[in-house]
Amino acid sequence: MIDLKQNEVWFVTGSQHLYGPKTLEQVAEHSREIAAAFDASKHLPVKVVFKPVLTTPDAIRELCLEANSTKKCIGLITWMHTFSPAKMWIAGLSLLKKPFAHLHTQYDREIPWSTIDMDFMNLNQAAHGDREFGFIGSRLRLDRKVVVGHWQDDEVQAQLGVWARAASAWADWQGAKVARFGDNMRDVAVTEGDKVEAQIKFGYDVYGYGIGDLVKAVNEASDGDVEKMMQAYLDEYDVIPSLRPGGERNASLKDGARMEVGMRNFLQAGNFKAFTTTFEDLHGMPQLPGLACQRLMRDGYGFGAEGDWKTSALVRAMKVMAEGLKGGVSFMEDYTYHFSASGDKVLGAHMLEICESIASKKPKLDILPLSIGGKADPVRLIFDANTGPAIGASIMDMGQRFRMVANVVDVVPTDEPLPKLPVARALWLPRPNLKVAAAAWIYAGGAHHTSFSYSVTAEHLQDFADMAGIEFLLIDENTRVQEFKEKLRWNDLYYHLNKGL
Ligand code: MN
């Protein structure tokens, strides 16, 4: 469902005619070599395409317009090998609608002390050429990522790779469709928001559907597809005996399979990338769809419970960022605390809908009662999540603007087994600790729902927030509550004023 190799990043080198054709040929040759190295790099998940060296305002403008209108181009990496007077870039950069990363590198890694002459100096000019380019980026107040270091270094390529993943997610959001089955959970505030503003700012569109539209698709699921789905469950999970063929609750598994087939058909037919459900609107559905949501998330769909379209879209974006990386991405909720001398912990879970991409081993497929919703017992996958560093992020509509907040956490094994807990779960220690992390999160107005990932990092989210032009607040090992509160106040002022900057 997600293929990052379809995406192209264009490698764009700036120069000028002053140096004559010989130097420009050399610049092009070096630029081609760097683009090829990035294209082959394990750190960059997308295609990197060399573009001819730009030496005039017209050529720059044409390239930016071409980037805008080329769907598979998700952004530019720019580099000024030689000096490229930046007034030439004003028209192009002002029109550019795609993200760009400014690579500040030099073709030759080291100074050849005994042979360096003016020819070498005139070729390796990025130290000042990139500063001229940087000035115009700042003068135009353009959000971009600046990456500094030698182009062959792993760290430089990794930083560009992170940016390319964020740019892929950003491109994926443009024109994306989110299906919303039912409305918001009644009276919940943080899952609401301005969908028109979100479409203007983020590019995705939220389509509302009555649950009857989904019920129709579920009822139309073919018996053959339902049988195949049941077989997939038996092949992939530890299915409890009562749900197996001949078991007394096998019919409930069939209901679950029918819901999944119907939801898949609906989402595929409408070309949706994400969806929401709500337990308050299930008329005609036999159960709250748990298993179906878990498996659809695993396959790359964004998901948000209780009508939470912002988290659903964010889960999808983080699925794109994480594509091909170890770890996983899931919808998540801070559910219950464990205050203890060994460190205050958060038990993360949801009523049902945690993605199996974060499971530590083969999930158990079980059926148990759900205390809310008033429907038949839902089938669901139960598992412990992986351990290790992870991040939870959410986007809130603050009224005048959107804010992203994220917390870096360490997922740990549960102190003891949880034989009676009927849902998938993750237990974590927030950084720097629960007291600071939760206070900061609450001061920021952070949601109880998050998109939770072991492969997406703060750097991915920072790059992504910059592309979206929204505030990004990180809570990690360096967070201090007092400084964080001050940052919130300053940011309120900045984002209020920045429309006029
Ligand atoms: Mn919830």
Side-chain angles (χ1 to χ4, degrees):
M1 181 175 184
I2 300 165
D3 179 10
L4 299 185
K5 271 289 171 201
Q6 288 185 346
N7 294 338
E8 290 182 1
V9 163
W10 291 359
F11 191 79
V12 175
T13 309
S15 188
Q16 60 180 334
H17 280 297
L18 197 67
Y19 304 110
K22 194 167 154 268
T23 302
L24 286 177
E25 270 165 39
Q26 224 172 349
V27 168
E29 198 180 306
H30 290 165
S31 180
R32 198 176 278 118
E33 188 182 339
I34 295 175
F38 288 172
D39 187 51
S41 168
K42 63 177 193 278
H43 298 293
L44 280 124
V46 299
K47 273 190 206 139
V48 179
V49 178
F50 165 80
K51 288 284 161 180
V53 175
L54 300 173
T55 55
T56 67
D58 281 350
I60 292 167
R61 189 170 168 276
E62 285 306 309
L63 179 115
C64 291
L65 290 174
E66 190 191 342
N68 287 348
S69 62
T70 305
K71 203 178 165 197
K72 59 191 172 183
C73 172
I74 58 158
L76 312 182
I77 297 175
T78 57
W79 172 52
M80 305 303 122
H81 189 353
T82 52
F83 201 74
S84 180
K87 282 159 81 176
M88 297 200 302
W89 287 85
I90 292 174
L93 289 179
S94 299
L95 291 165
L96 183 66
K97 295 278 187 193
K98 302 277 168 97
F100 73 100
H102 179 188
L103 173 64
H104 185 42
T105 192
Q106 177 168 290
Y107 178 74
D108 287 291
R109 183 188 289 273
E110 295 179 344
I111 293 174
W113 303 108
S114 62
T115 59
I116 184 170
D117 55 12
M118 256 348 261
D119 284 348
F120 184 96
M121 295 271 277
N122 280 336
L123 187 62
N124 287 286
Q125 292 190 64
H128 59 283
D130 272 329
R131 285 167 207 258
E132 166 74 356
F133 180 77
F135 165 73
I136 208 64
S138 292
R139 175 70 180 77
L140 293 168
R141 292 188 163 75
L142 300 174
D143 270 321
R144 75 279 193 198
K145 182 173 195 172
V146 179
V147 176
V148 182
H150 192 255
W151 54 278
Q152 287 172 318
D153 288 350
D154 272 341
E155 197 187 333
V156 166
Q157 295 183 8
Q159 278 184 279
L160 290 171
V162 165
W163 171 84
R165 287 178 176 281
S168 295
W170 181 246
D172 183 74
W173 262 14
Q174 305 315 306
K177 292 166 70 182
V178 180
R180 198 160 182 252
F181 301 119
D183 200 88
N184 204 56
M185 180 178 164
R186 285 183 274 282
D187 267 344
V188 176
V190 77
T191 49
E192 291 276 14
D194 185 339
K195 299 189 206 75
V196 175
E197 188 61 24
Q199 189 174 348
I200 293 167
K201 199 78 189 160
F202 299 137
Y204 63 75
D205 193 356
V206 182
Y207 287 65
Y209 291 97
I211 195 69
D213 294 323
L214 178 58
V215 168
K216 184 167 176 285
V218 169
N219 291 339
E220 284 170 0
S222 78
D223 290 342
D225 286 348
V226 173
E227 285 304 321
K228 262 188 246 161
M229 192 61 77
M230 301 262 282
Q231 190 55 49
Y233 297 163
L234 293 168
D235 293 343
E236 292 176 40
Y237 309 117
D238 286 328
V239 182
I240 61 157
S242 67
L243 287 176
R244 291 177 161 272
E248 70 270 21
R249 309 202 72 179
N250 185 248
S252 295
L253 189 65
K254 197 167 187 175
D255 284 342
R258 190 171 293 285
M259 285 195 295
E260 179 174 345
V261 172
M263 288 175 91
R264 275 185 193 276
N265 288 345
F266 188 101
L267 295 170
Q268 276 166 11
N271 198 23
F272 292 102
K273 291 176 172 172
F275 67 104
T276 71
T277 60
T278 173
F279 68 91
E280 283 183 333
D281 192 352
L282 292 173
H283 309 286
M285 294 282 276
Q287 313 165 5
L288 175 65
L291 176 60
C293 296
Q294 292 179 293
R295 286 168 52 83
L296 284 160
M297 253 190 285
R298 177 201 69 183
D299 292 344
Y301 286 98
F303 171 77
E306 291 107 44
D308 189 348
W309 50 275
K310 294 192 296 301
T311 304
S312 179
L314 184 58
V315 169
R316 166 66 187 193
M318 287 169 68
K319 291 270 180 196
V320 174
M321 291 179 217
E323 177 60 24
L325 298 177
K326 270 192 196 144
V329 179
S330 179
F331 176 72
M332 185 62 76
E333 181 167 311
D334 292 79
Y335 222 102
T336 300
Y337 285 147
H338 180 64
F339 289 115
S340 89
S342 65
D344 297 339
K345 293 171 188 146
V346 181
L347 183 64
H350 204 257
M351 283 191 297
L352 301 172
E353 310 91 338
I354 300 299
C355 176
E356 65 170 287
S357 68
I358 67 168
S360 60
K361 59 179 193 194
K362 194 194 247 194
K364 180 165 90 167
L365 177 47
D366 204 343
I367 180 162
L368 291 151
L370 189 71
S371 51
I372 49 180
K375 287 282 166 179
D377 297 351
V379 289
R380 80 282 299 276
L381 299 175
I382 302 175
F383 54 83
D384 288 318
N386 288 316
T387 56
I391 196 163
S394 78
I395 293 178
M396 296 78 65
D397 182 344
M398 302 307 288
Q400 303 300 316
R401 62 193 171 84
F402 293 99
R403 161 182 284 169
M404 184 191 286
V405 61
N407 185 198
V408 180
V409 306
D410 294 287
V411 183
V412 294
T414 56
D415 295 11
E416 293 177 35
L418 306 165
K420 295 205 155 180
L421 190 69
V423 288
R425 76 297 294 243
L427 183 76
W428 64 78
L429 291 152
R431 293 189 198 174
N433 55 57
L434 179 65
K435 278 182 195 297
V436 171
W441 189 274
I442 286 168
Y443 282 124
H448 53 283
H449 287 165
T450 58
S451 175
F452 190 84
S453 177
Y454 295 74
S455 36
V456 172
T457 63
E459 189 183 353
H460 291 102
L461 296 175
Q462 175 76 69
D463 289 355
F464 187 75
D466 286 347
M467 288 169 197
I470 63 168
E471 181 185 14
F472 177 69
L473 296 163
L474 179 64
I475 302 167
D476 66 2
E477 54 277 13
N478 300 316
T479 298
R480 303 287 173 270
V481 172
Q482 200 52 39
E483 284 170 20
F484 191 84
K485 284 175 73 175
E486 283 164 12
K487 191 188 281 183
L488 290 174
R489 289 196 193 106
W490 298 335
N491 281 3
D492 269 341
L493 202 58
Y494 167 74
Y495 284 95
H496 186 67
L497 293 173
N498 86 331
K499 294 180 182 84
L501 288 175

